[in-house]
Amino acid sequence: VQLVESGGGLVQPGGSLRLSCAASGFTFSRYGMNWYRQAPGKERELVAHITNGIGTTGYADSVKGRFTISRDNAKNTVDLQMNSLKPEDTAVYYCMANRPATPWGPGTQVTVSS
């Protein structure tokens, strides 16, 4: 079982990034998927989730209207489109499955700075 995040980088305030998470080792389509983030000195927080099946989505208030989560069950990937980025979005971003004992991936660093 493995989750590998990619797509992070340095972006100016107001910019956009698209993160991707590649999943392997389990039946991806059976599980809801989430994106979390952890800023320096802060707890890891849930940013967005998407259910299995019809793919109902939900977002933290801090990112609602700016971030969009999507999934591709054929490719076993879950993406996070991030628009109108703010300095407070700076964090390491992780994906996670709603599946017991799934190990965390390495994450991908997002830095929003001018």
Side-chain angles (χ1 to χ4, degrees), residues 27-78:
T27 306
F28 179 79
S29 61
R30 292 179 58 183
Y31 297 95
M33 294 297 297
N34 311 287
W35 278 98
Y36 289 81
R37 68 185 180 187
Q38 187 166 21
K42 294 190 175 181
E43 299 276 328
R44 192 170 296 185
E45 65 169 338
L46 178 63
V47 172
H49 70 266
I50 185 166
T51 63
N52 60 339
I54 61 172
T56 301
T57 60
Y59 301 91
D61 287 344
S62 57
V63 307
K64 201 171 293 183
R66 299 188 297 123
F67 289 12
T68 303
I69 188 172
S70 61
R71 66 187 296 159
D72 186 333
N73 289 336
K75 296 181 179 179
N76 289 358
T77 58
V78 57

Side-chain angles (χ1 to χ4, degrees), residues 2 5-6 9 13 17 21 32 36 45 56 58-60 64 69-70 72 74 77 93-94 97 99 105 107 110 113:
Q2 191 174 29
E5 302 89 350
S6 63
L17 280 175
C21 169
Y36 289 81
E45 65 169 338
T56 301
Y59 301 91
K64 201 171 293 183
I69 188 172
S70 61
D72 186 333
T77 58
Y93 284 71
Y94 303 87
R99 176 187 177 277
V110 172
S113 175

